[in-house]
Amino acid sequence: MSAVPIPRSLRVLLAGAAGASVANVYYAQPLLDQLAQAFALDRAAAGAVLAATQAGSVLALLGLLPLADRGDRRRLLRLQLLVLMLALLWLAAARSAPWLLSGMLLAGLLGTALTQGLIAYTATLAPPEQRGRVVGAVQGGVFIGLLSARVVSGAVAATFGWRAVYLLSALLMAALAALLWRRLPAVPVPAVPPRWRELLGSMWGMLRGNRTLRERGPLALLLFAGLNVFWAAVPLPLSAPPMGWSTAAIGALGMAGVVGAVLAARVGLWMDRGFANRVSLAALLLMLVAWAPLLGLPHSLALLLLGVVVLDLGGQALHVSNQALLLGAPAEQHGRLVALYMLFYAVGSGAGAAAGPWMQARHGWPAVCLLGAGIALLAVLWWAAWRRAALTATARGCAGGSAGCR
């Protein structure tokens, strides 16, 4: 791979494209009431809308993302952009519940595949000494897109209706397709492309054999379990007396996390300078201590905002450091490594989203904070155990006369 640095304008474009892509997976969350009314769905059935989107995301990780290791990643990204645009138009035109669910499945499938494919492509394109910084910038775009998606879709739907959300997104993806079509540089293509079935079959071996994935995958599971414990549970105390926040106000709380995303984008620079372990430990400790100010809910808005910023900063810093380390592997493995890593993310997110509201409903907000802090502490212990194992292995190597110790 060429060692030519990626221009700033291209980094911004890739980050914006990744943010716009991932937003399609989350636009539906504030729209459930409108969708339930439009398609005569009860509240239980309306939850199938989100389930369809998440099912699409998992299918993307298992089926589409490994294709990035098969051939021309630039051509694949271009194709996914165009198909995503058509899927959004299909979704905006939905006239029945099955039609709606199929559109949500496609939005989750293609939005996830394109987002993670852009990250894998960026890591392949970047020279090794710039990889952490570039991956951090694109991941920052993803997180900003994720946070802003709920606010944007709620505001647009309140004024123009839910269909306008997906029509505007289709227009945005068309504009990005035009820009990326011209700006995306070529990346190396395998001389003999492996078959899709071979790629899928190799993923179990990668999971067993890649030490970084075995360490960082469970960290991702715990990381996103902790984040989703908070974000899934916090609407309940915020909407109840004495706070009584509206749905729009609760959605806007997520924008406080943008501060953390912007700061976390700088993490990649520290990764490039060799501070991986320091960054990881600092991020884990931030996620642990964040639960102390969050315990101030509902008595202090300032403590709540502080806790949100610290929690999201720690979470995104750890996420960026995880991906930067994983994507130090050979470029032909990037698609499958990202897919496997994000499967840990999906499991953790689902578990946290289920556990947070249950804990709040049964035991109240202090129990939610205790659960979140416990997950963060478990992540610290997991990281410490791997560091101890690495130090022990190094010491044994030195005792055996390894040349790297001299």
Side-chain angles (χ1 to χ4, degrees):
M1 189 69 236
S2 171
V4 177
I6 299 178
R8 179 179 176 82
S9 60
L10 182 57
R11 295 203 305 266
V12 172
L13 179 59
L14 290 168
S21 301
V22 78
N24 292 296
V25 183
Y26 295 94
Y27 281 143
Q29 291 187 0
L31 307 180
L32 290 184
D33 286 341
Q34 282 199 25
L35 293 172
Q37 293 175 14
F39 294 94
L41 303 173
D42 59 32
R43 293 191 67 85
V49 171
L50 300 183
T53 308
Q54 294 304 313
S57 296
V58 173
L59 288 174
L61 297 176
L62 291 173
L64 287 185
L65 194 52
L67 290 175
D69 294 340
R70 186 178 187 276
D72 189 340
R73 291 179 179 173
R74 181 173 62 169
R75 184 171 63 182
L76 180 62
L77 290 173
R78 288 169 171 174
L79 177 62
Q80 288 174 343
L81 266 167
L82 293 176
V83 178
L84 176 57
M85 181 185 67
L86 295 175
L88 293 169
L89 293 173
W90 168 264
L91 177 54
R95 292 292 183 271
S96 66
W99 187 342
L100 174 71
L101 293 176
S102 69
M104 290 295 176
L105 180 72
L106 290 172
L109 177 76
L110 294 161
T112 299
L114 183 57
T115 302
Q116 300 305 323
L118 281 165
I119 292 174
Y121 169 86
T122 301
T124 302
L125 188 64
E129 68 275 7
Q130 194 189 19
R131 184 170 292 136
R133 189 182 348 164
V134 175
V135 169
V138 175
Q139 187 57 52
V142 171
F143 193 53
I144 291 172
L146 185 157
L147 291 173
S148 60
R150 302 175 181 93
V151 179
V152 170
S153 66
V156 170
T159 306
F160 302 105
W162 71 269
R163 296 181 193 276
V165 174
Y166 294 100
L167 287 172
L168 288 174
S169 183
L171 290 174
L172 176 59
M173 300 314 298
L176 286 169
L179 289 171
L180 291 171
W181 200 275
R182 292 179 295 136
R183 292 294 310 277
L184 287 182
V187 293
V189 177
V192 181
R195 295 180 180 180
W196 182 63
R197 187 174 297 179
E198 293 173 348
L199 289 172
L200 293 183
S202 69
M203 290 172 73
W204 175 246
M206 293 177 71
L207 182 60
R208 295 178 59 190
N210 189 300
R211 186 184 187 281
T212 304
L213 181 61
R214 286 187 285 116
E215 175 192 352
R216 297 287 166 157
L219 271 184
L221 187 153
L222 295 169
L223 153 65
F224 287 101
L227 287 177
N228 280 276
V229 161
F230 172 76
W231 286 110
V234 76
L236 299 178
L238 288 179
S239 60
M243 303 196 76
W245 284 22
S246 66
T247 302
I250 294 172
L253 176 65
M255 298 307 293
V258 171
V259 177
V262 173
L263 293 174
R266 301 287 298 173
V267 166
L269 181 61
W270 300 328
M271 297 294 295
D272 291 335
R273 293 176 177 174
F275 300 141
N277 288 330
R278 297 180 189 179
V279 167
S280 298
L281 179 58
L284 288 163
L285 293 177
L286 283 174
M287 293 194 68
L288 178 59
V289 302
W291 291 98
L294 290 174
L295 192 58
L297 183 71
H299 307 294
S300 173
L301 177 59
L303 286 176
L304 172 64
L305 293 176
L306 174 63
V308 168
V309 171
V310 173
L311 183 68
D312 283 344
L313 171 59
Q316 288 309 305
L318 183 60
H319 187 39
V320 170
S321 67
N322 287 347
Q323 290 196 316
L325 287 171
L326 275 175
L327 295 173
E332 62 270 16
Q333 299 178 12
H334 285 175
R336 284 165 291 169
L337 283 173
V338 171
L340 288 166
Y341 173 79
M342 293 304 292
L343 284 172
F344 283 99
Y345 151 87
V347 172
S349 295
W358 183 89
M359 188 66 75
Q360 170 64 25
R362 297 295 191 279
H363 304 289
W365 185 248
V368 172
C369 293
L370 183 62
L371 173 62
I375 292 172
L377 179 59
L378 185 58
V380 172
L381 294 175
W382 175 266
W383 177 86
W386 277 87
R387 295 280 62 74
R388 182 177 180 181
L391 291 173
T392 301
T394 301
R396 287 175 179 170
C398 291
S402 172
C405 299
R406 295 170 186 165

